[in-house]
Amino acid sequence: MAGLYEANQRGAGMVFLADDRKFLAINLNKGAVVDNADATARGYVAALEGAVEILRDKEVLVLGGGRVGKAAMSYLKQRGADPIVYDKNPAVMGALKEKGWRTLSEIGELERYPLLVDANPEGGWICRDMLHPQVWIAAPGVPLSLDEEAKKAFSQRLIHDLLPIGVVTMVAMAC
């Protein structure tokens, strides 16, 4: 609390707060509060759209139905894309299906999708031969789901970092 008090006393316009569950940007002047999960999803969808030029009317497979995955699906929908989601947890898949989201039932169909948002928190399980040969991957998931061979093979079509895209998007959204 002392740090927040000091930031306010020194005229800080924005502060970042984090605990084990949330990472927030708070614009003290505007009262805007931005959650990193939402910002990360938005930043990675925007980066994917920048890479492929347009998402409208394109299917985009989202791996992971957690906070970042759900936010990515919503933002993809806003951009006119057709999101499809896969989560290995049957309960998560059932809940997403109940809410009207399109779901992928077999991970073996992954290679059909040239556009992928990987918001899955499990590392190293996607092999090169599981992916579309011209895939573009926006991967906010940590650790990266691609194994080393896939990472090397698709390095020119992979958008991935450990924090900057999400944090920069948090700042932009809070301003």
Side-chain angles (χ1 to χ4, degrees):
M1 294 297 262
L4 187 56
Y5 177 79
E6 183 179 343
N8 185 56
Q9 291 300 310
R10 291 181 178 219
M14 188 174 304
V15 294
F16 292 86
L17 302 172
D19 63 18
D20 291 343
R21 297 180 147 234
K22 291 275 189 182
F23 176 28
L24 304 173
I26 302 173
N27 184 320
L28 299 173
N29 299 321
K30 294 183 177 184
V33 178
V34 179
D35 183 291
N36 180 260
D38 296 331
T40 295
R42 186 175 289 256
Y44 274 87
V45 168
L48 181 63
E49 186 169 39
V52 301
E53 297 182 9
I54 190 164
L55 291 175
R56 178 165 298 288
D57 299 323
K58 293 183 180 177
E59 291 183 326
V60 180
L61 181 61
V62 177
L63 298 177
R67 290 180 23 218
V68 174
K70 285 190 268 191
M73 293 181 326
S74 293
Y75 193 56
L76 284 162
K77 195 79 154 164
Q78 288 176 22
R79 303 300 305 148
D82 182 14
I84 299 131
V85 62
Y86 174 82
D87 193 290
K88 69 179 185 175
N89 183 329
V92 171
M93 288 288 281
L96 291 167
K97 201 172 211 174
E98 266 184 33
K99 290 182 180 179
W101 292 106
R102 287 182 61 203
T103 59
L104 179 71
S105 58
E106 294 295 325
I107 196 60
E109 297 176 34
L110 177 63
E111 68 183 323
R112 289 185 31 223
Y113 297 92
L115 299 176
L116 179 64
V117 174
D118 175 17
N120 175 47
E122 187 178 331
W125 63 275
I126 298 177
C127 305
R128 180 181 183 170
D129 62 350
M130 294 172 70
L131 296 166
H132 187 283
Q134 298 300 313
V135 69
W136 271 99
I137 305 163
V142 176
L144 184 61
S145 293
L146 302 181
D147 69 10
E148 287 303 316
E149 182 185 354
K151 184 178 176 182
K152 185 176 179 181
F154 294 104
S155 65
Q156 298 300 309
R157 295 173 154 274
L158 172 63
I159 303 160
H160 177 72
D161 65 45
L162 297 179
L163 210 51
I165 291 173
V167 174
V168 167
T169 307
M170 289 172 78
V171 171
M173 290 172 68
C175 289

